[in-house]
Structure formats: structure tokens, C-alpha cells
Amino acid sequence: MFRRLRLAAACIALLSLIAPAAAADPARNTAGPPTDYLKVTGLSRPVFEDAITESKMLPMSDGIAVYVEVTRPKAKGQFPVIAEISPYHGTIYERDGVRMLPEQGGLVDYFVPRGYAVLMMDVRGTGRSQGCLDHMGPRDQADAKQVVEWAAIQPWSNGRVGAIGHSYPGGTSVMTLAEEPKGLA
């Protein structure tokens, strides 16, 4: 609990340092269009043509199973993992990450050809997962930690897992970070 309080305090302190400086300098807020991070030089290029998608009902520590779907290159090797932990999969969104990268076809279409595994987790009580929604409560926190640690030790994983998302899945990314799972990069 103290870890989360320290993380929240650090975020508030950082925002209090940044916000006044930005407000004092209006030109700083209008320096031009936002950076298109997909046009940064040195980004990885697509090298894998074929992909494999596997799904699993992964039992959590309390016996409830959550649905996890992993799409990765259909090739030998170990890949870094990008995880989206969401209540929306299979309901208002597919498990492809299109809302994150709509012009690139989604997380799966963009990152898998570049040598990443993309993991989509349905939080408990949503999508194909069992149980009741815990709305980022203690069970959701424990589940996210367990899924990240599971992904980090899979034979197809290089042991490094990143979490991604905006809105609710962004909150689950921060929630997962606060749990300090082994393998979260």
C-alpha cells in the first residue's frame, strides 16, 4: 500500500513541477503539431510475415480463470511482450488493439510483424474471463501481476513485458506497474 502512496505522491509532485512552467509559457504549449512517433527514425521494420494466435484460460491465485490471447510471430525465438489488460475485449472492442493504433491496423498488425508478442487479457468478469469485475481493485491488481509474470517466463517470451493502454486499459497499466511484477519492463 505504501508503494502505491509513494507512486501517487511522486506523480502529483511531478505534475506540480510541470504544470506551472507550462502555464507560465504559452508558447511552450503551441510549439507545433504533436510528434508522430511512428515516423521516428530507427524504428523496427516488419520482418515476420506469419503469426500465430493462442488463447488460454489462465487460473488466478483464487481459482478464477482469466482469458489471455497472445499473438506472436510464427517463428522460433523469444520476443518482447506488449500487454493490453482491458475489460473491453470481446465486447465493444476486438482483441487487436486497433483503438491504440487505428491507422496501422492495431497493436497486433503493427507489432507482431516487427518481432513482438501482443498479449490481450480480459480482466475478470469481462469478455471471456470468469468472476466478477473488481474495477482495478485488489483482485484485478493481483491478476495483472500474475499474468505479466506468466508472460515473462513463457518459452516464446524474452522475459520483458510492457503494458499499454489508454483510458481504462491505461489505468490497468499503471495499476500493474504499482504491483512491480517480475518481467515488467
Side-chain angles (χ1 to χ4, degrees), residues 32-103:
T35 301
D36 183 346
Y37 291 103
L38 296 176
K39 294 182 180 173
V40 172
T41 58
L43 292 179
S44 61
R45 300 280 180 226
V47 294
F48 297 97
E49 292 184 21
D50 296 322
I52 183 169
T53 300
E54 299 173 315
S55 60
K56 179 173 181 62
M57 292 298 291
L58 191 63
M60 299 291 99
S61 60
D62 66 348
I64 294 295
V66 297
Y67 181 80
V68 175
E69 189 172 287
V70 178
T71 304
R72 59 185 169 79
K74 188 176 182 177
K76 292 184 187 251
Q78 295 180 314
F79 310 100
V81 181
I82 299 171
E84 184 180 71
I85 302 164
S86 175
Y88 304 130
H89 299 145
T91 54
I92 60 174
Y93 296 121
E94 296 300 320
R95 292 175 186 86
D96 54 14
V98 166
R99 73 203 153 283
M100 290 299 301
L101 293 173
E103 294 176 14

Side-chain angles (χ1 to χ4, degrees), residues 80-85 117 119 148 159-165 173 176 183-185:
V81 181
I82 299 171
E84 184 180 71
I85 302 164
L119 180 149
V148 166
R160 296 175 52 86
V161 181
I164 191 168
S173 294
T176 304
L184 187 66

